[in-house]
Protein backbone atom coordinates (compact mmCIF):
# COMPACT_ATOMS: atom_id res chain seq x y z
CA UNK A 1 0.00 0.00 0.00
CA UNK A 2 1.25 3.44 -0.92
CA UNK A 3 0.01 6.34 1.16
CA UNK A 4 -0.75 9.74 -0.34
CA UNK A 5 -2.31 12.74 1.37
CA UNK A 6 -5.87 11.82 2.28
CA UNK A 7 -8.11 13.97 4.47
CA UNK A 8 -11.30 12.50 5.91
CA UNK A 9 -13.99 14.47 7.72
CA UNK A 10 -17.31 13.54 9.31
CA UNK A 11 -19.83 15.48 11.39
CA UNK A 12 -19.04 13.47 14.51
CA UNK A 13 -15.60 12.88 15.98
CA UNK A 14 -15.39 9.51 14.23
CA UNK A 15 -11.99 8.20 13.19
CA UNK A 16 -12.35 6.68 9.76
CA UNK A 17 -9.60 4.63 8.13
CA UNK A 18 -8.50 5.06 4.55
CA UNK A 19 -6.31 2.96 2.31
CA UNK A 20 -5.23 3.95 -1.19
CA UNK A 21 -4.51 0.98 -3.44
CA UNK A 22 -2.64 1.51 -6.71
CA UNK A 23 -2.94 -1.16 -9.40
CA UNK A 24 -2.19 -1.59 -13.10
CA UNK A 25 -3.90 -3.78 -15.65
CA UNK A 26 -1.76 -6.69 -16.77
CA UNK A 27 -2.46 -8.43 -20.06
CA UNK A 28 -1.68 -12.06 -20.80
CA UNK A 29 -2.86 -14.74 -23.21
CA UNK A 30 -2.91 -14.32 -26.97
CA UNK A 31 -4.01 -11.39 -29.10
CA UNK A 32 -7.07 -13.43 -30.08
CA UNK A 33 -7.88 -14.43 -26.49
CA UNK A 34 -6.37 -11.86 -24.15
CA UNK A 35 -6.97 -12.00 -20.44
CA UNK A 36 -6.59 -9.14 -18.01
CA UNK A 37 -5.96 -8.92 -14.30
CA UNK A 38 -5.18 -6.17 -11.85
CA UNK A 39 -1.81 -6.32 -10.10
CA UNK A 40 -0.14 -3.98 -7.59
CA UNK A 41 1.55 -1.00 -9.24
CA UNK A 42 5.22 -1.53 -8.40
CA UNK A 43 7.07 -0.29 -11.46
CA UNK A 44 5.46 2.11 -13.87
CA UNK A 45 6.28 3.11 -17.41
CA UNK A 46 5.65 6.58 -18.75
CA UNK A 47 2.08 6.82 -20.07
CA UNK A 48 0.87 3.81 -18.08
CA UNK A 49 -2.58 4.10 -16.49
CA UNK A 50 -2.78 3.52 -12.74
CA UNK A 51 -6.10 2.41 -11.24
CA UNK A 52 -6.56 3.82 -7.74
CA UNK A 53 -9.07 2.50 -5.22
CA UNK A 54 -9.64 4.43 -2.01
CA UNK A 55 -11.14 2.29 0.77
CA UNK A 56 -12.94 4.34 3.44
CA UNK A 57 -13.75 2.24 6.51
CA UNK A 58 -15.72 3.09 9.65
CA UNK A 59 -14.21 0.88 12.39
CA UNK A 60 -16.29 2.54 15.13
CA UNK A 61 -19.62 1.44 16.65
CA UNK A 62 -21.40 4.64 15.50
CA UNK A 63 -22.62 5.94 12.14
CA UNK A 64 -20.38 8.52 10.43
CA UNK A 65 -22.50 11.31 8.96
CA UNK A 66 -21.58 13.84 6.28
CA UNK A 67 -18.36 12.06 5.35
CA UNK A 68 -16.10 13.79 2.88
CA UNK A 69 -12.75 12.48 1.68
CA UNK A 70 -10.15 14.66 -0.02
CA UNK A 71 -7.51 12.74 -1.96
CA UNK A 72 -4.42 14.30 -3.47
CA UNK A 73 -3.73 13.14 -7.02
CA UNK A 74 -0.39 11.34 -6.66
CA UNK A 75 2.78 13.10 -7.79
CA UNK A 76 4.00 12.37 -11.31
CA UNK A 77 0.50 11.43 -12.47
CA UNK A 78 -2.27 13.18 -14.37
CA UNK A 79 -5.93 12.56 -13.59
CA UNK A 80 -7.84 10.74 -16.36
CA UNK A 81 -10.93 12.82 -17.20
CA UNK A 82 -14.23 11.27 -16.14
CA UNK A 83 -12.63 8.41 -14.22
CA UNK A 84 -13.54 9.38 -10.64
CA UNK A 85 -16.41 7.31 -9.28
CA UNK A 86 -17.97 6.26 -6.02
CA UNK A 87 -21.45 4.86 -5.45
CA UNK A 88 -23.63 7.32 -3.55
CA UNK A 89 -21.11 10.15 -3.73
CA UNK A 90 -20.85 13.67 -5.03
CA UNK A 91 -17.48 14.28 -6.66
CA UNK A 92 -15.61 17.57 -6.83
CA UNK A 93 -12.10 18.57 -7.86
CA UNK A 94 -9.49 21.14 -6.91
CA UNK A 95 -6.90 22.93 -9.03
CA UNK A 96 -5.38 24.94 -6.16
CA UNK A 97 -3.83 22.29 -3.95
CA UNK A 98 -7.06 21.36 -2.17
CA UNK A 99 -7.98 24.86 -0.98
CA UNK A 100 -11.26 25.02 -2.93
CA UNK A 101 -13.38 22.38 -4.69
CA UNK A 102 -16.03 22.40 -7.42
CA UNK A 103 -17.60 20.01 -9.93
CA UNK A 104 -15.38 19.50 -12.99
CA UNK A 105 -17.80 21.52 -15.14
CA UNK A 106 -17.35 24.55 -12.85
CA UNK A 107 -13.55 24.54 -12.46
CA UNK A 108 -12.08 27.64 -14.08
CA UNK A 109 -8.54 28.84 -14.61
CA UNK A 110 -7.69 32.45 -13.66
CA UNK A 111 -8.36 33.53 -17.26
CA UNK A 112 -11.89 32.05 -17.06
CA UNK A 113 -11.16 29.03 -19.29
CA UNK A 114 -12.35 25.58 -18.21
CA UNK A 115 -9.65 23.82 -16.19
CA UNK A 116 -8.25 20.75 -18.00
CA UNK A 117 -7.83 17.49 -16.02
CA UNK A 118 -4.04 17.83 -16.04
CA UNK A 119 -4.47 20.82 -13.71
CA UNK A 120 -6.44 18.85 -11.09
CA UNK A 121 -4.57 18.48 -7.79
CA UNK A 122 -7.20 16.82 -5.56
CA UNK A 123 -10.47 14.89 -5.71
CA UNK A 124 -13.22 15.12 -3.07
CA UNK A 125 -15.93 12.52 -2.55
CA UNK A 126 -18.91 13.44 -0.34
CA UNK A 127 -20.89 10.43 0.83
CA UNK A 128 -24.62 11.10 0.46
CA UNK A 129 -25.49 8.55 3.15
CA UNK A 130 -24.03 7.84 6.59
CA UNK A 131 -21.25 5.25 6.71
CA UNK A 132 -22.48 2.47 9.00
CA UNK A 133 -20.38 0.95 11.78
CA UNK A 134 -17.97 -1.57 10.27
CA UNK A 135 -18.85 -0.54 6.69
CA UNK A 136 -16.44 0.28 3.88
CA UNK A 137 -17.10 2.68 1.01
CA UNK A 138 -15.05 2.58 -2.18
CA UNK A 139 -13.99 5.52 -4.32
CA UNK A 140 -12.00 5.13 -7.51
CA UNK A 141 -10.10 7.10 -10.12
CA UNK A 142 -7.47 6.61 -12.78
CA UNK A 143 -4.32 8.60 -13.46
CA UNK A 144 -1.62 8.41 -16.12
CA UNK A 145 1.99 8.11 -14.98
CA UNK A 146 4.09 10.98 -16.38
Amino acid sequence: MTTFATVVRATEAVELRTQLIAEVRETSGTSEHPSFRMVPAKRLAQGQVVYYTLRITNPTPVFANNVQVNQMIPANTTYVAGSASGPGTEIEFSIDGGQTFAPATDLKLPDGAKAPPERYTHIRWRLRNPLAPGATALARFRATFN
Side-chain angles (χ1 to χ4, degrees):
M1 173 190 78
T2 305
T3 303
F4 297 97
T6 304
V7 177
V8 181
R9 293 188 181 103
T11 303
E12 301 78 20
V14 175
E15 280 197 42
L16 302 177
R17 291 188 191 141
T18 63
Q19 178 185 28
L20 185 65
I21 301 162
E23 298 176 302
V24 294
R25 193 168 102 164
E26 185 178 82
T27 306
S28 60
T30 65
S31 59
E32 294 173 1
H33 295 69
S35 74
F36 305 98
R37 70 181 184 138
M38 301 305 285
V39 296
K42 293 182 180 175
R43 289 187 162 208
L44 299 171
Q46 189 171 10
Q48 190 168 16
V49 175
V50 183
Y51 295 75
Y52 290 98
T53 301
L54 182 61
R55 297 175 55 88
I56 308 148
T57 303
N58 180 0
T60 73
V62 298
F63 280 85
N65 294 300
N66 301 316
V67 174
Q68 68 179 28
V69 180
N70 300 349
Q71 175 63 52
M72 181 177 76
I73 295 171
N76 301 315
T77 67
T78 301
Y79 172 74
V80 173
S83 68
S85 65
T89 63
E90 295 174 10
I91 302 170
E92 297 177 312
F93 302 91
S94 176
I95 59 171
D96 61 7
Q99 298 298 309
T100 61
F101 288 84
T105 55
D106 297 341
L107 281 178
K108 304 287 185 211
L109 296 174
D111 65 4
K114 185 178 187 290
E118 55 268 14
R119 294 290 300 269
Y120 296 3
T121 61
H122 291 73
I123 306 170
R124 173 185 286 166
W125 291 268
R126 291 178 192 248
L127 278 60
R128 289 188 195 115
N129 300 307
L131 189 58
T136 297
L138 299 177
R140 292 191 164 105
F141 69 98
R142 293 188 313 271
T144 304
F145 184 69
N146 301 324

